[in-house]
Amino acid sequence: MKLTDNVLRSFRVAKVFRENSDKINCFDFSPNGETVISSSDDDSIVLYDCQEGKPKRTLYSKKYGVDLIRYTHAANTVVYSSNKIDDTIRYLSLHDNKYIRYFPGHTKRVVALSMSPVDDTFISGSLDKTIRLWDLRSPNCQGLMHLQGKPVCSFDPEGLIFAAGVNSEMVKLYDLRSFDKGPFATFKMQYDRTCEWTGLKFSNDGKLILISTNGGFIQLIDAFKGAVLHTFGGYNNSKAVTLEASFTPDSQFIMIGSEDGKIHVWNGESGMKVAVLDGKHTGPITCLQFNPKFMTFASACSNMAFWLPTIDD
């Protein structure tokens, strides 16, 4: 089944899970699409089975809190940042609920975490104005970059380059093998004083970069030239909430939730809005991602919702 405007318009909430007592701050699908794991401000980590459509288990990170949870490539292991006590990144085995390793170094809250799509490398960005490069096999930072402002960062789908958005006004591209030489490309964007950048993602084909903000718009840029292709707006975000925007796996559509529980979908090529879906969420939809393998997506406030299409186009 191919994603079209009509198929996207037909998505409905198939299941709602109320496992959390507070906002879900992040979730991540496993690479095979079979499970999704969430982190919440209530200090819990919930693992869901996407095929059976049910929660499998709940773990807690009471002491340090949990945010920005990401699957690694090994089955049943995740990394996540802390939102209490310290700013250490933790590497957890879900299998026996034990920490495998800690990654200390950041001195302020970690606001970006991206796992390499190909190996054990990951990058983190923090309010301490640094981006750190890590290897899961070592607790020591493999690389450190000092920036002029708050960073957002992400790997490209090949894991060869990473992008850093700095100070909500420029995107810098680095070659992973020689990042210490500085960026090989820098795109200066128009600075908008009304909001700041909260996220940055590559499309699966590597041609596009999506920049999320805590304002009422997101931007789609050309990953090679840095030109702004489209600015998408018209959704509610009056309280400057961090809302996650995402690509569909085919790189064709862009989606974001809003503070009134609706999901807005645009065609990335034409820039036209193709759907507004009502998720009946009780709070702002802070997290939204499409399953990498199956025709389903998930959205979250303090509840988690699984969506399915209702037509075969």
Side-chain angles (χ1 to χ4, degrees), residues 211-239:
I211 295 170
S212 313
T213 73
N214 62 359
F217 70 93
I218 50 179
Q219 284 190 313
L220 187 66
I221 67 170
D222 182 305
F224 303 107
K225 303 191 187 94
V228 176
L229 302 173
H230 297 292
T231 299
F232 304 116
Y235 57 91
N236 289 348
N237 189 14
S238 62
K239 297 185 180 72

Side-chain angles (χ1 to χ4, degrees), residues 118-193:
V118 295
D119 61 20
D120 284 341
T121 313
F122 68 97
I123 50 175
S124 57
S126 158
L127 294 179
D128 64 14
K129 300 183 184 174
T130 64
I131 287 177
R132 287 175 180 262
L133 196 62
W134 309 89
D135 187 304
L136 283 174
R137 295 162 297 193
S138 162
N140 304 322
C141 174
Q142 308 292 304
L144 174 62
M145 294 152 54
H146 291 277
L147 305 161
Q148 290 334 145
K150 173 191 162 180
V152 288
C153 54
S154 183
F155 278 101
D156 83 318
E158 253 117 54
L160 298 173
I161 66 170
F162 62 89
V166 187
N167 234 7
S168 302
E169 59 182 345
M170 63 182 82
V171 175
K172 295 171 181 273
L173 300 180
Y174 295 85
D175 186 313
L176 192 61
R177 290 155 303 196
S178 56
F179 70 91
D180 47 342
K181 296 189 175 70
F184 64 83
T186 299
F187 309 136
K188 191 96 167 62
M189 316 285 283
Q190 202 170 349
Y191 182 56
D192 186 311
R193 285 183 201 296

Side-chain angles (χ1 to χ4, degrees), residues 231-295:
T231 299
F232 304 116
Y235 57 91
N236 289 348
N237 189 14
S238 62
K239 297 185 180 72
V241 180
T242 297
L243 303 171
E244 180 179 25
S246 291
F247 288 100
T248 50
D250 60 7
S251 307
Q252 303 300 308
F253 298 92
I254 287 96
M255 339 173 45
I256 192 168
S258 62
E259 68 183 7
D260 59 8
K262 291 188 169 63
I263 291 170
H264 297 251
V265 187
W266 295 269
N267 182 307
E269 199 161 339
S270 70
M272 301 297 289
K273 189 174 283 190
V274 296
V276 179
L277 306 168
D278 193 350
K280 307 272 193 294
H281 277 283
T282 51
I285 298 176
T286 41
C287 307
L288 176 68
Q289 279 178 42
F290 219 95
N291 187 306
K293 294 284 187 263
F294 301 105
M295 190 59 84

Side-chain angles (χ1 to χ4, degrees), residues 9 23 67 74-75 79 82 98 107 116 120 141 154 158 167 189 195-196 198 210 228 244 257 278 288 292 304:
R9 280 194 279 268
K23 178 186 93 173
D67 197 357
V79 289
S82 319
K98 286 196 169 64
T107 55
S116 161
D120 284 341
C141 174
S154 183
E158 253 117 54
N167 234 7
M189 316 285 283
C195 61
E196 58 178 33
T198 53
L210 182 60
V228 176
E244 180 179 25
D278 193 350
L288 176 68
M304 170 78 87

